[in-house]
DNA sequence: CAATGCTACGATGTATACAAATATTCGAAG
DNA sequence: CTTCGAATATTTGTATACATCGTAGCATTG
């Protein structure tokens, strides 16, 4: 059904692992499944069969089980006793809670970025924003989504707080499968652009408080749209 | 060397697992090791031997390895390639970063608590604070530490945001082994009491902003003391 | 016909066996 | 005596085998 060939380096936790070539199967499977789940290609609520996944990756159940345990600790899957693993499905009220936390964390990123950003980072953010404007096309929402991600990642980096960046990134990944649906809302694209502009100008002015509230506002508005979407389309 | 008999229900992640009696060995071992690590009874940097722990728990290596993977995903241990697991030791600059995030999260807890707290929760916090005052004795730092934990837990609960509570609790547990050392600083006990008072009064007055800054201040001061301690005693 | 209990199958949890890589030790050379 | 290196030993990673639990299907009974 799926082919888990896609591999990326999106380590969301400060789980650096050994950078040397020797990567374990368990780790490789964890990354692949995390990508599949965050992208929504494996839907929330779907049960993950150990044997089936072991076959798909061409390994035994052991490394698959270890990957499941890691994903469970990162809240990407739920382990229910002896009933197997299923992709975590997040209830609406929990999404509200998560966005409230994410708004605060992203806000902190922006606040720190406003105080600490270096010229080359500022230039990079400007460049990303230009690309995002160019990609503001309802046809290419996937490209828009990716560039948007780049923008936030650039702010994380400019915060000069690696732990905060990792924590925020992890949270972002957890809700990624739900976020992606909202990007398709037509009003979201334009709203995102203007909200980003507010954040960027505040950071450029080194106005920490304004950057904080602008980013918090941005995330909260996204959360509101997401809830509207869920309320309408379930 | 250690006897891992201590068992608790401190689930830091929204990892509810099956509440029915049938708990897997892997989960039991994860909880036990997490408690040992958070309490500092297993020191940061110590290598965890699979065989040794398997023997101590009377199981095979398999569930131990699964527990290691879960702890690694929660950042309690580091897995380095094929070189085994060791208790994560947190560098000073990372502790700074973590306290910055924790200050923000605990601050958010306090802010929400100020807006949402119910009378019985307020009464509970007052009662905990009274007990903390009574335990303000350099001899019984462990009791003080535990009651202090209760106070923060009560604020988490009053925030009415279960995800925020879990996230904050998890972060608190990660730095627990380091926090505990600071509690022994004589000035910390009195400082904690007065800082808590400020938080409590702000919450009682439903002054969200003041509660936020009071709690943030509290956590930041603790972080500063912790860094002073580390600078002095390594 | 619905509900309950039994049985068989399948999946998970755990133990053990094996392979590969790293750590260690012992020896030889400088 | 120190240092480098090869062989051994230990440990991790993975595969397989076994035990145990959950579920589904069917039969039986009220």
């Amino acid at each position: 059904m799926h082919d888990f060939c896609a591999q990326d380096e999106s380590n969301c936790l400060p789980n650096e692992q050994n950078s040397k070539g020797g990567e374990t199967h368990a780790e490789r499977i964890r990354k692949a499944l995390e990508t599949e789940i965050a992208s929504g290609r494996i839907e929330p609520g779907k049960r993950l069969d150990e044997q089936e996944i072991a076959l798909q990756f061409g390994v035994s159940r052991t490394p698959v089980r270890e990957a499941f345990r890691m994903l469970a600790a990162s809240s990407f899957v739920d382990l229910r006793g002896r009933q197997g693993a299923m992709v975590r499905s997040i209830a609406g009220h929990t999404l509200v809670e998560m966005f409230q936390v994410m708004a605060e964390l992203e806000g902190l990123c922006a606040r720190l970025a406003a105080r600490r950003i270096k010229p080359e980072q500022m230039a990079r953010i400007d460049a990303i924003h230009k690309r995002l404007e160019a990609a503001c096309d309802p046809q290419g929402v996937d490209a828009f989504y990716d560039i948007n991600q780049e923008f936030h990642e650039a702010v994380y980096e400019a915060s000069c707080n690696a732990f905060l960046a990792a924590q925020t990134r992890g949270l972002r990944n957890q809700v990624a499968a739900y976020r992606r649906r909202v990007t398709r809302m037509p009003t979201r694209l334009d709203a995102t652009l203007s909200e980003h502009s507010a954040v960027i100008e505040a950071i450029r002015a080194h106005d920490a408080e304004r950057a904080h509230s602008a980013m918090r506002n941005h995330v909260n508005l996204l959360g509101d749209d997401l809830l509207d979407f869920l309320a309408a389309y379930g």
Side-chain angles (χ1 to χ4, degrees), chain A residues 1-22:
Chain A
M1 52 171 300
H2 294 288
D3 64 332
F4 299 98
C5 295
Q7 305 209 9
D8 67 355
E9 290 298 324
S10 73
N11 267 347
C12 82
L13 284 172
N15 222 353
E16 286 198 20
Q17 208 73 1
N18 204 341
S19 55
K20 270 185 13 182

mmCIF file of all heavy atoms in Angstrom, chain A residues 1-22:
data_model
loop_
_atom_site.group_PDB
_atom_site.id
_atom_site.type_symbol
_atom_site.label_atom_id
_atom_site.label_comp_id
_atom_site.label_asym_id
_atom_site.label_seq_id
_atom_site.Cartn_x
_atom_site.Cartn_y
_atom_site.Cartn_z
ATOM 1 N N MET A 1 0.822 -1.201 0.000
ATOM 2 C CA MET A 1 0.000 0.000 0.000
ATOM 3 C C MET A 1 0.863 1.262 0.000
ATOM 4 O O MET A 1 0.821 2.052 -0.881
ATOM 5 C CB MET A 1 -0.928 -0.004 1.202
ATOM 6 C CG MET A 1 -0.223 -0.238 2.519
ATOM 7 S SD MET A 1 -1.337 0.044 3.901
ATOM 8 C CE MET A 1 -1.759 1.762 3.622
ATOM 9 N N HIS A 2 1.690 1.423 1.015
ATOM 10 C CA HIS A 2 2.626 2.541 1.029
ATOM 11 C C HIS A 2 4.019 2.019 0.727
ATOM 12 O O HIS A 2 4.338 0.881 0.995
ATOM 13 C CB HIS A 2 2.652 3.206 2.407
ATOM 14 C CG HIS A 2 1.363 3.861 2.758
ATOM 15 N ND1 HIS A 2 0.923 5.014 2.169
ATOM 16 C CD2 HIS A 2 0.404 3.519 3.641
ATOM 17 C CE1 HIS A 2 -0.234 5.355 2.684
ATOM 18 N NE2 HIS A 2 -0.580 4.460 3.576
ATOM 19 N N ASP A 3 4.839 2.862 0.186
ATOM 20 C CA ASP A 3 6.242 2.487 0.085
ATOM 21 C C ASP A 3 7.050 3.492 0.889
ATOM 22 O O ASP A 3 7.048 4.673 0.627
ATOM 23 C CB ASP A 3 6.712 2.476 -1.370
ATOM 24 C CG ASP A 3 6.661 3.838 -1.988
ATOM 25 O OD1 ASP A 3 5.809 4.644 -1.532
ATOM 26 O OD2 ASP A 3 7.441 4.116 -2.881
ATOM 27 N N PHE A 4 7.696 3.003 1.879
ATOM 28 C CA PHE A 4 8.347 3.859 2.853
ATOM 29 C C PHE A 4 9.743 4.258 2.423
ATOM 30 O O PHE A 4 10.657 4.288 3.229
ATOM 31 C CB PHE A 4 8.409 3.160 4.206
ATOM 32 C CG PHE A 4 7.046 2.846 4.753
ATOM 33 C CD1 PHE A 4 6.509 1.591 4.607
ATOM 34 C CD2 PHE A 4 6.320 3.830 5.397
ATOM 35 C CE1 PHE A 4 5.255 1.324 5.125
ATOM 36 C CE2 PHE A 4 5.077 3.555 5.911
ATOM 37 C CZ PHE A 4 4.542 2.296 5.773
ATOM 38 N N CYS A 5 9.905 4.538 1.154
ATOM 39 C CA CYS A 5 11.242 4.852 0.686
ATOM 40 C C CYS A 5 11.691 6.229 1.119
ATOM 41 O O CYS A 5 12.873 6.469 1.304
ATOM 42 C CB CYS A 5 11.309 4.755 -0.834
ATOM 43 S SG CYS A 5 11.027 3.069 -1.405
ATOM 44 N N ALA A 6 10.738 7.132 1.281
ATOM 45 C CA ALA A 6 11.115 8.493 1.656
ATOM 46 C C ALA A 6 11.888 8.498 2.967
ATOM 47 O O ALA A 6 11.474 7.898 3.945
ATOM 48 C CB ALA A 6 9.872 9.357 1.794
ATOM 49 N N GLN A 7 13.014 9.149 2.946
ATOM 50 C CA GLN A 7 13.800 9.260 4.172
ATOM 51 C C GLN A 7 14.254 10.687 4.322
ATOM 52 O O GLN A 7 14.638 11.341 3.379
ATOM 53 C CB GLN A 7 15.014 8.362 4.108
ATOM 54 C CG GLN A 7 14.630 6.939 3.809
ATOM 55 C CD GLN A 7 15.612 5.967 4.390
ATOM 56 O OE1 GLN A 7 16.489 6.362 5.152
ATOM 57 N NE2 GLN A 7 15.486 4.726 4.047
ATOM 58 N N ASP A 8 14.197 11.175 5.526
ATOM 59 C CA ASP A 8 14.636 12.552 5.753
ATOM 60 C C ASP A 8 15.431 12.612 7.048
ATOM 61 O O ASP A 8 15.596 11.634 7.739
ATOM 62 C CB ASP A 8 13.453 13.495 5.802
ATOM 63 C CG ASP A 8 12.604 13.220 7.022
ATOM 64 O OD1 ASP A 8 12.906 12.228 7.742
ATOM 65 O OD2 ASP A 8 11.667 13.950 7.263
ATOM 66 N N GLU A 9 15.910 13.789 7.311
ATOM 67 C CA GLU A 9 16.747 13.960 8.501
ATOM 68 C C GLU A 9 16.014 14.739 9.577
ATOM 69 O O GLU A 9 16.621 15.366 10.416
ATOM 70 C CB GLU A 9 18.032 14.698 8.117
ATOM 71 C CG GLU A 9 18.964 13.856 7.261
ATOM 72 C CD GLU A 9 19.421 12.615 7.982
ATOM 73 O OE1 GLU A 9 19.628 12.675 9.202
ATOM 74 O OE2 GLU A 9 19.545 11.561 7.334
ATOM 75 N N SER A 10 14.685 14.689 9.544
ATOM 76 C CA SER A 10 13.938 15.513 10.480
ATOM 77 C C SER A 10 13.947 14.898 11.868
ATOM 78 O O SER A 10 13.016 14.244 12.289
ATOM 79 C CB SER A 10 12.500 15.658 10.002
ATOM 80 O OG SER A 10 11.803 14.452 10.199
ATOM 81 N N ASN A 11 15.011 15.103 12.560
ATOM 82 C CA ASN A 11 15.067 14.702 13.961
ATOM 83 C C ASN A 11 14.350 15.745 14.785
ATOM 84 O O ASN A 11 14.807 16.860 14.900
ATOM 85 C CB ASN A 11 16.516 14.613 14.440
ATOM 86 C CG ASN A 11 17.054 13.215 14.303
ATOM 87 O OD1 ASN A 11 16.295 12.279 14.080
ATOM 88 N ND2 ASN A 11 18.344 13.072 14.426
ATOM 89 N N CYS A 12 13.237 15.385 15.377
ATOM 90 C CA CYS A 12 12.502 16.408 16.105
ATOM 91 C C CYS A 12 12.978 16.503 17.536
ATOM 92 O O CYS A 12 12.974 17.556 18.127
ATOM 93 C CB CYS A 12 11.004 16.140 16.051
ATOM 94 S SG CYS A 12 10.420 14.957 17.246
ATOM 95 N N LEU A 13 13.438 15.419 18.103
ATOM 96 C CA LEU A 13 13.957 15.484 19.456
ATOM 97 C C LEU A 13 15.471 15.600 19.394
ATOM 98 O O LEU A 13 16.084 15.281 18.389
ATOM 99 C CB LEU A 13 13.555 14.226 20.235
ATOM 100 C CG LEU A 13 12.100 14.227 20.681
ATOM 101 C CD1 LEU A 13 11.714 12.897 21.268
ATOM 102 C CD2 LEU A 13 11.883 15.319 21.708
ATOM 103 N N PRO A 14 16.049 16.057 20.480
ATOM 104 C CA PRO A 14 17.508 16.200 20.494
ATOM 105 C C PRO A 14 18.191 14.850 20.556
ATOM 106 O O PRO A 14 19.048 14.589 21.360
ATOM 107 C CB PRO A 14 17.765 17.014 21.772
ATOM 108 C CG PRO A 14 16.602 16.780 22.637
ATOM 109 C CD PRO A 14 15.444 16.515 21.734
ATOM 110 N N ASN A 15 17.780 14.028 19.630
ATOM 111 C CA ASN A 15 18.124 12.619 19.592
ATOM 112 C C ASN A 15 19.187 12.426 18.530
ATOM 113 O O ASN A 15 18.973 11.760 17.540
ATOM 114 C CB ASN A 15 16.852 11.883 19.156
ATOM 115 C CG ASN A 15 16.653 10.639 19.957
ATOM 116 O OD1 ASN A 15 17.523 10.279 20.731
ATOM 117 N ND2 ASN A 15 15.542 9.992 19.761
ATOM 118 N N GLU A 16 20.358 12.978 18.752
ATOM 119 C CA GLU A 16 21.255 13.109 17.618
ATOM 120 C C GLU A 16 21.662 11.792 17.008
ATOM 121 O O GLU A 16 21.965 11.724 15.856
ATOM 122 C CB GLU A 16 22.492 13.901 18.035
ATOM 123 C CG GLU A 16 22.157 15.374 18.191
ATOM 124 C CD GLU A 16 23.395 16.225 18.162
ATOM 125 O OE1 GLU A 16 24.421 15.758 17.661
ATOM 126 O OE2 GLU A 16 23.336 17.358 18.640
ATOM 127 N N GLN A 17 21.681 10.763 17.811
ATOM 128 C CA GLN A 17 22.089 9.450 17.321
ATOM 129 C C GLN A 17 23.492 9.543 16.753
ATOM 130 O O GLN A 17 24.100 10.601 16.740
ATOM 131 C CB GLN A 17 21.104 8.979 16.246
ATOM 132 C CG GLN A 17 20.979 7.509 16.144
ATOM 133 C CD GLN A 17 20.191 6.944 17.322
ATOM 134 O OE1 GLN A 17 19.746 7.656 18.177
ATOM 135 N NE2 GLN A 17 20.041 5.645 17.386
ATOM 136 N N ASN A 18 23.998 8.487 16.333
ATOM 137 C CA ASN A 18 25.346 8.511 15.795
ATOM 138 C C ASN A 18 25.308 8.990 14.358
ATOM 139 O O ASN A 18 24.593 8.459 13.529
ATOM 140 C CB ASN A 18 25.950 7.104 15.861
ATOM 141 C CG ASN A 18 27.447 7.156 15.876
ATOM 142 O OD1 ASN A 18 28.028 8.173 15.492
ATOM 143 N ND2 ASN A 18 28.067 6.096 16.317
ATOM 144 N N SER A 19 26.105 10.002 14.076
ATOM 145 C CA SER A 19 26.077 10.545 12.731
ATOM 146 C C SER A 19 26.852 9.650 11.772
ATOM 147 O O SER A 19 26.728 9.775 10.572
ATOM 148 C CB SER A 19 26.683 11.944 12.732
ATOM 149 O OG SER A 19 27.980 11.910 13.286
ATOM 150 N N LYS A 20 27.612 8.742 12.319
ATOM 151 C CA LYS A 20 28.356 7.851 11.443
ATOM 152 C C LYS A 20 27.402 6.958 10.659
ATOM 153 O O LYS A 20 26.272 6.738 11.047
ATOM 154 C CB LYS A 20 29.324 6.986 12.262
ATOM 155 C CG LYS A 20 30.672 7.644 12.429
ATOM 156 C CD LYS A 20 31.724 6.829 13.124
ATOM 157 C CE LYS A 20 31.468 5.373 13.330
ATOM 158 N NZ LYS A 20 32.581 4.746 14.063
ATOM 159 N N GLY A 21 27.901 6.428 9.589
ATOM 160 C CA GLY A 21 27.059 5.698 8.652
ATOM 161 C C GLY A 21 26.160 4.651 9.275
ATOM 162 O O GLY A 21 25.043 4.455 8.834
ATOM 163 N N GLY A 22 26.624 3.951 10.292
ATOM 164 C CA GLY A 22 25.879 2.833 10.822
ATOM 165 C C GLY A 22 24.597 3.238 11.516
ATOM 166 O O GLY A 22 24.608 3.519 12.703
#
